[in-house]
Amino acid sequence: MPDDVDADGLTVGQVSARLDVTVRALHHWDEIGLARPSLRTAAGYRLYTAGDLERLHRVVVYRELGLGLDRIGAVLDDSTADVPAALRAQRAQVTERIDRLRRLGDGLDRMIEAHERGLLLTAEQQAAVFGPRWDPDWPAQARRRYGDTEQWQQYAERSASRGPEEWRAVADAVADLDRALADAMDAGVAPGSPEADRLVERHREVFASFFPLTRRMQVCLVRRYEADPAFAAHYDGIRAGLATWFRRIVDADARAHGIDPDTATWE
């Protein structure tokens, strides 16, 4: 308890400096009757006595513990108040908040790691989810090529919340789409037909597991599927000519929506 307060009391500024409390807060506590100075100078300035300073010290302690001002006033002024019970209740709230912040911290760690790595799976998990032909270095390659793009950020945000089972669902959806594309090509589905357009729309929906894909972006992506040897090998390994047929149905859908595939650019 402060015992070095001058007999004439301390000014608001002196109390503010001593307790590291703003002058505005002291004025507010005075106005609501929580902690009022006992003395006034002849000019009407507030002066705090040693007893006032002790009360203020308790207000500061309780406020740092998270009690609201109304609750603090009740604890200080009600002689029947069960202070330990109030503190235990506050302790429970603090514990809950700590747990919540710890979970938030864990989520932030995963988000940071997702932005840096892309895929938060071990090499073994990746092989189990995506198959033995999957190269665990592909996410790192994608990070080096696209890490400064908006799409990488969107992908990382989705990746941060996914574990092996969620990624398995994504992989299954991609595999199902690949089979549907191959079956449609085998059945002679024509570019621009309703069935082909539904497959184009389904591709955008499935790809949204990674990041949103506009029609113009889809045109650019599927043209890369056809031109890039690795992508072309994947699709043509499912059905010979599938990469080119896939590009044709996407081009037709784009034209139906007023987009010239030959001039489409990534957005």
Side-chain angles (χ1 to χ4, degrees), residues 15-201:
V15 170
S16 172
R18 180 173 293 204
L19 296 182
D20 193 23
V21 175
T22 66
V23 170
R24 181 177 181 181
L26 292 171
H27 285 166
H28 177 61
W29 297 348
D30 180 8
E31 291 170 0
I32 65 175
L34 179 62
R36 287 176 170 160
S38 299
L39 301 177
R40 295 271 178 167
T41 67
Y45 294 109
R46 301 171 178 84
L47 291 176
Y48 291 87
T49 66
D52 297 334
L53 204 61
E54 170 59 24
R55 182 179 176 91
L56 280 169
H57 177 73
R58 295 180 68 192
V59 170
V60 170
V61 169
Y62 286 135
R63 188 182 65 161
E64 289 180 349
L65 292 175
L67 269 68
L69 296 182
D70 290 343
R71 187 61 175 150
I72 292 173
V75 168
L76 295 182
D77 296 331
D78 185 355
S79 60
T80 65
D82 188 343
V83 176
L87 295 179
R88 288 190 185 96
Q90 187 61 26
R91 179 68 175 85
Q93 293 181 25
V94 169
T95 299
E96 181 181 350
R97 186 157 63 246
I98 290 172
D99 290 342
R100 187 165 59 249
L101 290 172
R102 184 177 293 113
R103 291 192 297 271
L104 177 61
D106 292 343
L108 288 171
D109 287 342
R110 285 186 61 83
M111 187 70 75
I112 292 168
E113 190 176 4
H115 275 273
E116 293 176 345
R117 289 178 48 202
L119 197 59
L120 303 186
L121 299 178
T122 66
E124 293 76 13
Q125 289 173 327
Q126 292 178 46
V129 170
F130 301 113
R133 293 198 299 173
W134 175 266
D135 185 346
D137 191 48
W138 282 342
Q141 294 176 16
R143 171 70 175 84
R144 289 191 292 270
R145 176 176 289 186
Y146 305 113
D148 59 349
T149 66
E150 178 183 0
Q151 285 74 37
W152 179 267
Q153 296 174 13
Q154 294 167 331
Y155 164 67
E157 290 168 2
R158 288 161 171 76
S159 179
S161 63
R162 288 181 181 148
E165 291 307 313
E166 290 79 12
W167 276 116
R168 190 181 304 279
V170 172
D172 289 346
V174 171
D176 288 346
L177 174 61
D178 287 348
R179 285 191 292 270
L181 290 168
D183 291 344
M185 189 187 77
D186 289 345
V189 171
S193 65
E195 185 175 351
D197 290 344
R198 284 194 294 271
L199 286 170
V200 172
E201 179 66 25

